[in-house]
Amino acid sequence: MKRLLACLVILTALAAAAAHAQPSAPREIAGIALGADVKDLGQRLDLSKAVPLWDKPYLTRANIQPTKGFRTGYVLFGNCANPGKIVRIKLKYQDKDPSFFRSTGRTLTTRYGDPKPLMSDQGALYLGMAWKFGNIKTGVTALLLEHAAGDDPEDTEGTSIRLTDNAMLDLEHECYEKSRQKEPQVQPSFPLFEIKEDWLLPK
């Protein structure tokens, strides 16, 4: 009887552990990994045209070189806390068909569990699924699968996938904010005259 009870306790503990177990966070796609140094990916990235983001200067964007299975893509890497380390990977798949989005979503759901569905003001023209791994203490890695439909001059149509190391991204932002505190605030050099409301609006 004692042996039976002990077995039941062990089985219950294992079942609880399995219920709370979370799949390992994805860190790599198409041979490019979060946290990798862009210097080691010279053949995969167009670093000659890499530029900082205008609204987030602590991050630099570099487009990927032509890669099988994907139309376009880019990485974001830090230039403050961890210079050159990749914090985000975004790739747009070659296959534009909505059925590809659905089948890829099913595969990821099987692998990582139920996603959080995403909505957009584009209505049926946009579909999205999001997964998050980790927590505030260990850092959060986010996986995002999106599909956009319709004619778009910027050719955003199709399915894209994005991996982000939010912990590394936050470190870059914090590093940048600390560096700004040490420097005098830059004042606009133009115009020299006092602006009015119509200056802020198109005409």
Side-chain angles (χ1 to χ4, degrees):
M1 186 67 177
K2 290 183 179 179
R3 185 174 297 176
L4 179 60
L5 288 173
C7 288
L8 287 174
V9 170
I10 293 172
L11 289 173
T12 302
L14 289 174
H20 291 88
Q22 189 179 39
S24 298
R27 302 284 300 175
E28 180 179 333
I29 184 169
I32 301 174
L34 294 173
D37 196 313
V38 294
K39 293 179 181 178
D40 299 327
L41 295 166
Q43 294 182 331
R44 300 296 314 281
L45 305 174
D46 186 1
L47 294 175
S48 65
K49 297 179 181 178
V51 292
L53 301 184
W54 70 271
D55 57 339
K56 297 175 182 176
Y58 48 90
L59 298 174
T60 296
R61 169 175 167 154
N63 292 335
I64 67 165
Q65 300 285 12
T67 299
K68 289 183 179 179
F70 300 95
R71 279 187 288 147
T72 58
Y74 67 84
V75 301
L76 296 182
F77 59 90
N79 53 37
C80 188
N82 295 290
K85 301 296 183 181
I86 294 175
V87 302
R88 173 173 290 169
I89 307 161
K90 183 170 183 178
L91 302 170
K92 187 173 290 293
Y93 287 103
Q94 192 73 44
D95 194 332
K96 295 183 179 182
D97 198 292
S99 63
F100 177 78
F101 167 82
R102 291 192 292 269
S103 63
T104 303
R106 287 193 295 269
T107 299
L108 294 176
T109 298
T110 300
R111 187 177 297 180
Y112 300 117
D114 292 333
K116 175 184 178 182
L118 301 178
M119 304 299 291
S120 168
D121 55 9
Q122 294 176 275
L125 296 178
Y126 174 88
L127 300 170
M129 302 179 183
W131 292 261
K132 288 188 177 181
F133 308 85
N135 52 53
I136 296 176
K137 291 183 179 180
T138 61
V140 176
T141 298
L143 169 62
L144 178 64
L145 183 71
E146 298 176 294
H147 180 83
D151 297 327
D152 192 312
E154 295 184 0
D155 194 29
T156 59
E157 181 185 7
T159 299
S160 62
I161 191 164
R162 190 178 81 185
L163 275 173
T164 305
D165 187 322
N166 285 310
M168 292 184 67
L169 195 153
D170 289 343
L171 284 175
E172 293 301 322
H173 183 240
E174 291 170 7
C175 177
Y176 173 71
E177 289 299 327
K178 287 180 181 178
S179 67
R180 288 184 64 192
Q181 293 173 4
K182 299 177 183 178
E183 300 174 359
Q185 187 174 1
V186 178
Q187 299 298 321
S189 58
F190 183 85
L192 299 178
F193 54 83
E194 194 71 26
I195 66 170
K196 296 181 180 180
E197 184 179 353
D198 64 347
W199 178 262
L200 305 175
L201 301 172
K203 59 183 178 180

